[in-house]
C-alpha cells in the first residue's frame, strides 16, 4: 500500500507538476480525445445514455474500446437495458454538484451507483468509473486497477467512494494553493492548450493519475 499524502504533505510544486502532466497528456492524446468529443455534445449524450439510445451506446462502446476495455458489440443490448435504470436513479438522487462538494453522507450513494454498474455482466470497476465520469464529469473520478492499488483502496464501491473523498481533498487543496482570483484553477491547468472545452478538476486529476501511475506501471 502506497503512502497517501495528506494536504499538508503535497509537494510545494504540485500545481506545476499537474499542469505539466496534463499538458503532456493533451500533447500525446488530445488530438484523439474521445472524452472531449463526448463532452462537446454532452447534453445529447446524457439524454441518450439515460434513455438507451442505440447511437449513444455505440459511441459509448467506441470510447471504452478506444481505451482498451475490449467490449464486443454483442453486449450493447445488455448495456442498453441495464445501464439506464441506474442513470435514472442517479438523476433522482441528491448528489453533490462537483468533486469538491462531496461529503461523507454522499459516500453510500456513490458506492451504490458504482456497484450497480460494476455488477452488470462485462462491466468491471474501471468501466464503472468511466461511465460515471462520462455522465457527471464534474463529480466522478475515473480509476483503474493500477490507480486503485497505488492509493491502497479496495476495488469495490466502498473503495471507490473513499478514493473520491481523497480526490476531493486533493482538489480542495489545489484550489487553495492556486488562489488566483483572476484565473480559475481549471484555466491554469489547461495551460492554454484547451479551447473547445475546459475540463473540471476531476478530469485533470484523472489525467494526472493516469500518466503518473497507470502509464508508469504499464511501462515497467
Amino acid at each position: 500500500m502506497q503512502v497517501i499524502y495528506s494536504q499538508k504533505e503535497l509537494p510545494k510544486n504540485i500545481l506545476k507538476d499537474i499542469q505539466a502532466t496534463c499538458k503532456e497528456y493533451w500533447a500525446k492524446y488530445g488530438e484523439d480525445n474521445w472524452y472531449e468529443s463526448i463532452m462537446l455534445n454532452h447534453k445529447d449524450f446524457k439524454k441518450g445514455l439515460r434513455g438507451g439510445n442505440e447511437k449513444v451506446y455505440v459511441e459509448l462502446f467506441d470510447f471504452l474500446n478506444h481505451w482498451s476495455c475490449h467490449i464486443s458489440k454483442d453486449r450493447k443490448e445488455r448495456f442498453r437495458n441495464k445501464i439506464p435504470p441506474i442513470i435514472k436513479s442517479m438523476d433522482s438522487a441528491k448528489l453533490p454538484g462537483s468533486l469538491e462538494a462531496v461529503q461523507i453522507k454522499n459516500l453510500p450513494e456513490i458506492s451504490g451507483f458504482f456497484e450497480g454498474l460494476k455488477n452488470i455482466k462485462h462491466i468491471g470497476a474501471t468501466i464503472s468509473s468511466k461511465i460515471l465520469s462520462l455522465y457527471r464529469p464534474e463529480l466522478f473520478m475515473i480509476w483503474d486497477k493500477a490507480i486503485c492499488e497505488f492509493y491502497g483502496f479496495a476495488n469495490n464501491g466502498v473503495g471507490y467512494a473513499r478514493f473520491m473523498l481523497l480526490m476531493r481533498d486533493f482538489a480542495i487543496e489545489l484550489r487553495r494553493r492556486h488562489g488566483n482570483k483572476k484565473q480559475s484553477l481549471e484555466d491554469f491547468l489547461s495551460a492554454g492548450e484547451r479551447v473547445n472545452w475546459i475540463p473540471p478538476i476531476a478530469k485533470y486529476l484523472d489525467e494526472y493519475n493516469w500518466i503518473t501511475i497507470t502509464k508508469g506501471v504499464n511501462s515497467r
Side-chain angles (χ1 to χ4, degrees):
M1 175 175 173
Q2 299 285 340
V3 173
I4 298 174
Y5 289 113
S6 71
Q7 294 177 29
K8 293 181 180 179
E9 291 170 328
L10 288 172
K12 291 182 179 180
N13 61 345
I14 187 65
L15 276 170
K16 289 186 177 180
D17 281 350
I18 294 177
Q19 183 192 60
T21 301
C22 292
K23 189 172 183 178
E24 176 188 352
Y25 175 93
W26 188 252
K28 292 182 178 179
Y29 309 102
E31 291 185 2
D32 197 20
N33 193 338
W34 290 51
Y35 192 103
E36 184 185 53
S37 69
I38 289 174
M39 292 303 111
L40 293 177
N41 298 285
H42 196 224
K43 184 178 180 180
D44 291 338
F45 179 84
K46 286 180 67 175
K47 181 179 179 181
L49 195 65
R50 184 172 55 245
N53 179 273
E54 183 174 3
K55 182 179 178 181
V56 167
Y57 275 79
V58 169
E59 188 176 10
L60 173 65
F61 269 58
D62 287 343
F63 169 84
L64 293 173
N65 286 329
H66 177 76
W67 289 103
S68 304
C69 292
H70 308 298
I71 304 174
S72 61
K73 295 290 185 181
D74 60 356
R75 297 170 185 170
K76 184 179 62 183
E77 290 305 311
R78 175 185 294 274
F79 281 29
R80 287 178 62 197
N81 290 329
K82 297 290 185 178
I83 291 176
I86 298 172
I87 297 298
K88 291 175 183 178
S89 296
M90 286 172 52
D91 282 344
S92 62
K94 294 182 179 180
L95 291 171
S98 69
L99 174 64
E100 291 163 89
V102 170
Q103 300 180 45
I104 296 291
K105 67 180 182 180
N106 303 130
L107 300 190
E109 283 188 316
I110 289 172
S111 176
F113 292 131
F114 178 89
E115 282 290 336
L117 290 169
K118 181 174 174 287
N119 289 335
I120 297 174
K121 191 174 182 180
H122 305 304
I123 294 183
T126 298
I127 294 177
S128 296
S129 69
K130 289 181 183 294
I131 293 172
L132 290 172
S133 176
L134 286 171
Y135 195 70
R136 291 283 302 276
E138 71 287 350
L139 172 60
F140 290 109
M141 290 289 304
I142 296 176
W143 76 352
D144 56 28
K145 183 179 179 181
I147 294 168
C148 171
E149 291 180 351
F150 177 87
Y151 287 111
F153 293 124
N155 195 22
N156 57 27
V158 172
Y160 179 74
R162 292 182 63 202
F163 169 71
M164 286 275 293
L165 201 62
L166 175 67
M167 292 296 105
R168 176 205 68 178
D169 290 345
F170 200 163
I172 289 173
E173 178 63 8
L174 291 178
R175 198 172 299 279
R176 186 192 70 80
R177 292 194 188 189
H178 178 59
N180 187 334
K181 294 182 179 180
K182 294 183 179 180
Q183 180 191 41
S184 71
L185 173 61
E186 290 80 0
D187 282 336
F188 169 80
L189 294 176
S190 78
E193 300 289 329
R194 315 193 189 197
V195 294
N196 296 320
W197 177 70
I198 302 295
I201 187 62
K203 182 60 169 61
Y204 284 115
L205 290 179
D206 163 53
E207 294 172 11
Y208 176 74
N209 284 333
W210 192 76
I211 290 287
T212 59
I213 300 171
T214 306
K215 291 294 287 182
V217 169
N218 291 340
S219 64
R220 291 175 185 172

